[in-house]
Amino acid sequence: MDYMVVFITASKEEEAVKIAKTLVEEKLAGCVNIIKDIRSIYSWQDKIEDEQEVLMIVKTRSDLFEELEKTVKSLHSYTVPEIIGLKIKKGSESYLNWLSEVTK
């Protein structure tokens, strides 16, 4: 089985909590860490933006990515939310076993 870490940003902690709880409740993620007060500098609609955001670090199975992405987009306030998945090459066997048990 393959596993992923997915990075998702949100504008506010409340939105991140709502997304995180939904992903865990629907068994699309085993765990979501929420990191407050990150600073994001990015280009949007021909302007350079400099904003405070919240970062979610989601642990999941690779085969759940499409459903996870669809769920996040349905809950997210951004027109183009950041949803970036990176495969986990190595990890603690006991942690990855737990991740399999708590996801769909």
Side-chain angles (χ1 to χ4, degrees):
M1 186 162 301
D2 291 329
Y3 304 92
M4 303 181 81
V5 171
V6 181
F7 295 124
I8 304 166
T9 53
S11 62
K12 303 211 178 316
E13 185 178 9
E14 295 78 21
E15 180 177 34
V17 169
K18 178 181 176 182
I19 292 169
K21 284 185 175 181
T22 300
L23 294 177
V24 173
E25 287 168 357
E26 293 185 9
K27 300 189 178 297
L28 294 172
C31 176
V32 180
N33 305 113
I34 297 174
I35 302 171
K36 300 188 301 182
D37 300 324
I38 66 166
R39 184 176 179 183
S40 296
I41 300 171
Y42 57 93
S43 177
W44 180 249
Q45 298 179 337
D46 297 323
K47 289 177 26 186
I48 302 300
E49 302 289 344
D50 188 340
E51 301 288 341
Q52 291 297 118
E53 289 188 298
V54 178
L55 175 65
M56 289 168 272
I57 303 174
V58 181
K59 277 71 76 174
T60 190
R61 297 190 340 232
S62 297
D63 63 317
L64 297 175
F65 182 81
E66 285 77 18
E67 189 175 352
L68 181 147
E69 179 184 24
K70 182 179 177 182
T71 300
V72 170
K73 285 181 176 181
S74 74
L75 298 169
H76 212 292
S77 63
Y78 290 174
T79 305
V80 182
E82 174 184 331
I83 307 169
I84 298 173
L86 306 170
K87 282 195 175 186
I88 297 173
K89 287 188 173 187
K90 293 195 185 254
S92 161
E93 184 178 346
S94 59
Y95 184 84
L96 297 177
N97 287 340
W98 168 81
L99 189 53
S100 288
E101 291 170 11
V102 298
T103 52
K104 287 185 177 184

